[in-house]
Amino acid sequence: MRKSASPGWISVILRRPILWHVARLLLVSAYILGGFAKLLDFGGAVAEQEHFGLTPGWLWAAAAIIVELGGSLLVVSNRFVWLGAGALGVLTFVAMLTANAFWTMEGHERFMAMNAFFEHLGLIAGLVVVSILSEEGAFGPNPAARTQIVQGVSQ
């Protein structure tokens, strides 16, 4: 049996079920805030979509709100995580291509857009990871399955 790569106290923290819930909530927190901000200022959301060339703006704004809030709810509730995370990932990818097209920019603007582009790429990777872990059932309602998976990972 192989020892865990993490120190014992870190391993204890990582195995706490509450951490799984908090991590999912933090992962989608920007989408929750963005969805409510768009909902409360729909005119601004429409203008934002049209600014990036997405028309009709009202349709794209409504779709963004539905995906941001609905996808986040699925991820946080740990139900159909693949669907929620997938929808958020697609939305993020579209946003990356429209709002962070660094290859069309120069100077400081290019630098800032490139940073945002790769940060969003990392966020998509996080959504993939949460989908994988949810699919594995590592943090589902069955503690026996969780124990088996954790033991398999730590071996």
Side-chain angles (χ1 to χ4, degrees):
M1 176 168 19
R2 202 174 72 175
K3 249 184 121 173
S4 173
S6 304
W9 66 276
I10 294 290
S11 189
V12 167
I13 293 169
L14 293 176
R15 289 183 181 155
R16 296 202 42 117
I18 190 69
L19 185 59
W20 175 234
H21 300 293
V22 171
R24 287 194 327 268
L25 178 61
L26 293 176
L27 180 64
V28 298
S29 62
Y31 297 109
I32 295 169
L33 292 173
F36 279 117
K38 287 176 182 68
L39 191 60
L40 296 173
D41 181 14
F42 191 72
V46 170
E48 177 187 40
Q49 301 302 320
E50 291 175 349
H51 169 77
F52 291 114
L54 300 172
T55 56
W58 66 268
L59 180 63
W60 284 95
I65 292 168
I66 291 167
V67 169
E68 285 179 333
L69 296 179
S72 295
L73 179 63
L74 293 175
V75 170
V76 169
S77 68
N78 205 28
R79 303 282 185 245
F80 299 102
V81 175
W82 63 271
L83 179 61
L88 292 170
V90 169
L91 176 74
T92 302
F93 187 72
V94 170
M96 285 169 45
L97 295 178
T98 56
N100 302 121
F102 66 89
W103 52 90
T104 65
M105 302 171 187
E106 294 182 15
H108 185 68
E109 182 184 31
R110 177 185 172 91
F111 175 78
M112 296 299 291
M114 186 167 60
N115 268 352
F117 183 92
F118 285 100
E119 286 172 359
H120 285 89
L121 195 59
L123 184 54
I124 292 171
L127 291 165
V128 170
V129 169
V130 82
S131 297
I132 291 168
L133 290 173
S134 292
E135 183 70 21
E136 295 281 326
F139 302 97
N142 181 352
R146 178 176 42 242
T147 303
Q148 290 171 352
I149 289 172
V150 170
Q151 286 174 351
V153 169
S154 64
Q155 288 181 4

